[in-house]
Amino acid sequence: PLPPVRLLDTRNDPTTGTAKLAAGSVRVLHIAGTNGVPADATAVVLNVTATEPDAPGFETVYPCGGPVPTASNVNWVAGQTIPNRVISALDTTGNVCLFSYATTHLVVDLNGAYSATAGTSPYLPLPPHRLLDTRDSGVKTTAGSIRELQVSGSNGVPGDATAVVLNVTATQPDAPGFVTVFPCGRPVPTASNVNFTAGQTISNSVTATVGVDGKVCLFTYAATHLVVDLNGAYSPTQGSARFVATAPHRLLDTRDTGVKTGVGSVQVLQVTGSNGVPANATAVVLNVTSTESNGPGFVTVFPCGTAIPTASNVNYDAGQTIPISATATLAANGTVCLFTYSATHLVVDLDGIYAPAT
């Protein structure tokens, strides 16, 4: 786990000035050996935000050295500001590459790294669980406020947890703004996790370092309701799964058949046993995109064989294309289930796996 730090902002870049990334271009970003990332790091946790794009498009983050994969991480329409968490493998020289389909500004923040020598906290998958919903009290977080959230020592999170995987949703904001998740006890960093416009409902997955007293803090730039769901934790004593980064790979695209998921339906996705995912994998990192939805709704990713939890991963409006990274616990038979509240097309890409070290 690492405190959030900004790696790239093309709106103010010492290398290129204020120039946007050009359509069809690839930006190389060197990460290993900088900003606390070990030199032997194999993967990193990033928050990637596209802003002020000239046209609809997408961003694909992948280890340099190979072709651009058939996968995406951030999807946008012209003028939109939209973030997504990305867990990306590094190439052998410690780089990631960012392919932009359309001209856009790009902001990249670092949240953590995976290292064989410096990493000490294996992953502990947990069933999705709601930790906070300010709509229950009817009181929004105020502009410029910090909300402390106790995460360690409850809901299956060990007391020695060093980081947690959260899904953070902003809804009904009064004005444009952002949410920054950071370890309590530290100053608010120059970084963001969720970016929103007035009235928008938007979510993002966050891998957050745990701060003092087992808490994470959420800074909100503008007044908004916040919904926070727990998906997993990292613990040196109770975690048992090590991360293995993979090149992005498409697992599902319902547009291939032309048939959307039905209202209130559950899509079963077999993950283990193919695409290099071993049978003993306990969790996977997926990029889940909803597109061409018939109405407002959400997608919840959960281990098959369990009840649909009170939690969400992707929140969307009618006709919107919106992605989110989901760290999903697998069922015993290696499946994950995707519940969709309203009819939509689903696109699912595999970005990595968690499996016991053996």
Side-chain angles (χ1 to χ4, degrees):
L2 295 169
V5 62
R6 183 140 292 171
L7 298 182
L8 172 69
D9 188 343
T10 59
R11 299 170 300 181
N12 183 19
D13 188 346
T15 303
T16 60
T18 59
K20 294 181 179 180
L21 296 176
S25 67
V26 175
R27 176 70 181 256
V28 178
L29 193 60
H30 183 71
I31 301 179
T34 66
N35 298 296
V37 178
D40 69 344
T42 56
V44 286
V45 181
L46 307 173
N47 198 77
V48 180
T49 303
T51 188
E52 304 174 34
D54 291 355
F58 61 89
E59 194 77 23
T60 299
V61 185
Y62 63 102
C64 301
V68 180
T70 303
S72 63
N73 297 98
V74 186
N75 302 74
W76 64 75
V77 296
Q80 187 180 27
T81 296
I82 188 164
N84 199 8
R85 184 196 67 167
V86 179
I87 299 181
S88 176
L90 298 174
D91 68 12
T92 55
T93 59
N95 296 334
V96 295
C97 278
L98 303 105
F99 168 79
S100 294
Y101 181 83
T103 300
T104 186
H105 275 306
L106 206 64
V107 181
V108 181
D109 298 322
L110 173 72
N111 287 286
Y114 294 88
S115 164
T117 58
T120 58
S121 298
Y123 184 65
L124 175 65
L126 296 168
H129 180 80
R130 183 140 291 170
L131 297 181
L132 172 70
D133 190 340
T134 60
R135 297 173 301 181
D136 294 340
S137 66
V139 180
K140 295 180 179 180
T141 61
T142 57
S145 67
I146 294 175
R147 178 68 179 257
E148 294 185 357
L149 189 61
Q150 182 70 46
V151 289
S152 296
S154 61
N155 302 299
V157 179
D160 66 353
T162 58
V164 287
V165 178
L166 307 173
N167 200 79
V168 179
T169 302
T171 187
Q172 303 171 32
D174 292 351
F178 60 88
V179 179
T180 300
V181 186
F182 64 102
C184 293
R186 292 177 178 267
V188 180
T190 302
S192 63
N193 296 96
V194 185
N195 302 75
F196 51 80
T197 57
Q200 186 181 29
T201 296
I202 189 166
S203 56
N204 199 7
S205 182
V206 180
T207 301
T209 300
V210 176
V212 295
D213 299 324
K215 297 178 180 180
V216 295
C217 280
L218 300 99
F219 168 82
T220 50
Y221 181 83
T224 185
H225 277 305
L226 282 181
V227 183
V228 181
D229 299 323
L230 172 71
N231 288 286
Y234 293 85
S235 165
T237 59
Q238 296 189 40
S240 61
R242 300 286 180 177
F243 181 70
V244 181
T246 64
H249 180 80
R250 184 139 291 170
L251 298 181
L252 173 70
D253 190 341
T254 60
R255 297 172 301 180
D256 293 341
T257 63
V259 180
K260 295 180 179 180
T261 62
V263 175
S265 66
V266 175
Q267 174 91 33
V268 179
L269 189 61
Q270 182 67 47
V271 180
T272 60
S274 62
N275 302 303
V277 182
N280 67 342
T282 57
V284 287
V285 177
L286 306 174
N287 200 78
V288 181
T289 302
S290 168
T291 187
E292 303 174 31
S293 55
N294 290 1
F298 59 89
V299 179
T300 299
V301 186
F302 63 101
C304 297
T306 63
I308 300 171
T310 302
S312 64
N313 296 93
V314 188
N315 294 270
Y316 51 81
D317 291 324
Q320 190 177 28
T321 296
I322 191 161
I324 197 164
S325 175
T327 301
T329 300
L330 295 175
N333 62 357
T335 58
V336 293
C337 279
L338 300 99
F339 168 81
T340 49
Y341 181 82
S342 60
T344 188
H345 276 307
L346 282 181
V347 182
V348 182
D349 299 324
L350 174 70
D351 289 317
I353 64 172
Y354 291 92
T358 54

